[in-house]
Amino acid sequence: MSKVKYYYDPDTLSYRKIELKKSRRYRNLSLFILGSALFGFLGLILLLNTNILNTPRELSLAREVKNYELRFELLNKKMQQIEEVLANIEDRDNNIYRLYFEANPIPEEQRRAGFGGVNRYKSLEGFNNSEMITSTTKRLDVIQKQMVIQSRSLDEITKLAEDKEKLLAAIPAIQPVNNEDLTRMASGYGWRSDPFTKARKMHWGMDFTAPKGVPIYATGDGTVTRADNNASGYGKHIRIDHGYGYISLYAHLSNYNVKRKQKVKRGDLIGFIGSTGRSEAPHLHYEVWKDDQRINPINFYYGSLTAEEFENMLKFANQENQSLD
């Protein structure tokens, strides 16, 4: 039973019953319903943003998502470290390794080029964390491509290093007769007086005077192409093909220590001083060929002479005297 309310009327000095108008009743009822709906809606939002209404599986999934977000964050930090290391390797590769072996640097745009064509990341779109996942995947793809390019570059450098090592071993780089065995450096490369005709003619090698039987050594790695007495004027002589366009020739020998098609290493004993062929006295006539052109052997003794010894040899080699062959 609803309570009846009264108010005091001073005019009649009596209490009168309070009677609400119908419009006021409807208004109060409407305000009550609206207020209840508003408070209910706010309460629902509050509940939805708390874990009160979440099921155990939803809570587990939420924790898993948070864990994945943390893992992605850590992964991005590791990728940043990898990118820094790769950048350092690439810098050394371009400015040290490739420069040393005379190879062109790999352009920056080639190392960091993206992937054109079809959208490779379309399957990663439409999720709450699509942007983060797509960005991380793109970084991984670029890093992977950088590593492939760098790996190929290092393979190329390795091949260039092997070739350069073979080249350095092949170039005629030592004196063919030991200094302690020499009587003197008789004649150098250039215009000289012929010992038989006394005419001035081009002397295409260097003459090393030494007693008969003194050892002669290969000046670089290579293959013996001739060890015979079938070339005019040279007498018993040896030719070694060093590859890369280099050939060395050793003439007027008394005997051989190698035969045709034999492979030799720099410093191997190949023959002995003599005076066979067109020769005035026991000595070694030594020539160096590059791409079918005879060149001055004086430029190829960096592997066996000190600076002082080379200076002395240069002085004697430049004297326009009489050759021995």
Side-chain angles (χ1 to χ4, degrees):
M1 185 176 180
S2 60
K3 294 183 179 179
V4 179
K5 295 182 179 180
Y6 297 87
Y7 72 95
Y8 181 74
D9 187 355
D11 295 330
T12 60
L13 301 176
S14 63
Y15 288 94
R16 291 182 177 274
K17 186 178 180 181
I18 298 176
E19 295 182 0
L20 295 176
K21 296 180 179 179
K22 285 186 178 183
S23 59
R24 186 178 180 85
R25 287 181 181 178
Y26 290 142
R27 187 188 65 181
N28 290 345
L29 180 60
S30 298
L31 289 174
F32 175 76
I33 293 172
L34 181 61
S36 299
L38 180 61
F39 280 109
F41 179 72
L42 293 174
L44 181 61
I45 291 176
L46 183 62
L47 288 173
L48 290 175
N49 284 277
T50 63
N51 294 328
I52 298 175
L53 295 181
N54 290 344
T55 65
R57 176 165 177 74
E58 289 173 334
L59 293 174
S60 175
L61 289 173
R63 284 194 297 270
E64 194 172 337
V65 169
K66 288 289 184 185
N67 186 39
Y68 280 131
E69 289 175 352
L70 178 61
R71 286 174 179 267
F72 266 95
E73 186 178 345
L74 294 174
L75 179 61
N76 275 282
K77 288 182 179 179
K78 288 182 179 179
M79 283 194 293
Q80 184 177 353
Q81 294 173 346
I82 293 172
E83 287 167 343
E84 291 172 358
V85 172
L86 262 175
N88 181 265
I89 294 173
E90 290 168 351
D91 180 66
R92 284 184 291 168
D93 184 45
N94 273 350
N95 299 309
I96 298 177
Y97 309 141
R98 301 186 69 82
L99 188 65
Y100 177 78
F101 292 106
E102 300 175 357
N104 292 326
I106 299 175
E108 187 75 9
E109 55 271 19
Q110 182 180 340
R111 290 185 182 272
R112 281 162 177 66
F115 300 88
V118 181
N119 184 2
R120 297 161 55 92
Y121 312 103
K122 190 171 182 63
S123 60
L124 303 177
E125 297 174 355
F127 302 99
N128 290 336
N129 296 310
S130 287
E131 186 177 347
M132 177 182 66
I133 297 171
T134 302
S135 173
T136 302
T137 306
K138 283 182 180 178
R139 287 182 72 182
L140 277 172
D141 285 345
V142 172
I143 289 173
Q144 185 179 17
K145 184 176 180 181
Q146 285 179 257
M147 292 178 69
V148 170
I149 292 173
Q150 186 57 55
S151 177
R152 289 175 181 169
S153 176
L154 291 176
D155 288 342
E156 182 184 354
I157 293 299
T158 301
K159 179 70 167 56
L160 290 171
E162 290 173 354
D163 289 345
K164 189 138 191 172
E165 186 177 3
K166 291 177 183 176
L167 170 63
L168 292 175
I171 292 175
I174 64 172
Q175 191 172 285
V177 182
N178 287 334
N179 266 338
E180 54 267 25
D181 295 329
L182 286 178
T183 304
R184 66 190 177 96
M185 213 294 292
S187 181
Y189 177 95
W191 290 97
R192 299 292 182 268
S193 174
D194 185 278
F196 300 101
T197 66
K198 306 305 178 183
R200 190 169 179 266
K201 73 170 189 177
M202 186 65 183
H203 187 242
W204 295 105
M206 296 183 71
D207 290 344
F208 296 91
T209 303
K212 181 180 178 180
V214 164
I216 300 169
Y217 302 98
T219 55
D221 295 0
T223 303
V224 177
T225 57
R226 293 187 66 170
D228 57 50
N229 191 20
N230 299 327
S232 176
Y234 286 133
K236 290 183 178 179
H237 76 291
I238 295 170
R239 299 188 195 198
I240 299 176
D241 186 349
H242 302 279
Y244 306 97
Y246 288 99
I247 293 174
S248 58
L249 182 148
Y250 314 77
H252 310 304
L253 280 59
S254 61
N255 212 342
Y256 312 107
N257 194 53
V258 292
K259 57 186 178 181
R260 186 171 174 269
K261 295 185 179 181
Q262 181 177 333
K263 293 188 181 300
V264 294
K265 294 286 187 183
R266 179 183 293 149
D268 285 353
L269 175 62
I270 59 172
F272 304 91
I273 294 283
S275 188
T276 57
R278 193 176 187 274
S279 171
E280 188 179 60
H283 75 288
L284 169 68
H285 174 80
Y286 175 64
E287 294 182 9
V288 174
W289 294 61
K290 177 69 169 76
D291 298 328
D292 298 325
Q293 299 292 323
R294 286 178 284 195
I295 55 179
N296 194 343
I298 195 73
N299 300 314
F300 293 87
Y301 298 135
Y302 59 84
S304 60
L305 299 180
T306 64
E308 185 179 356
E309 289 171 336
F310 182 78
E311 190 71 28
N312 289 330
M313 176 178 283
L314 192 62
K315 181 175 67 175
F316 286 113
N318 286 332
Q319 293 177 356
E320 192 169 331
N321 54 7
Q322 179 178 286
S323 65
L324 293 176
D325 46 35

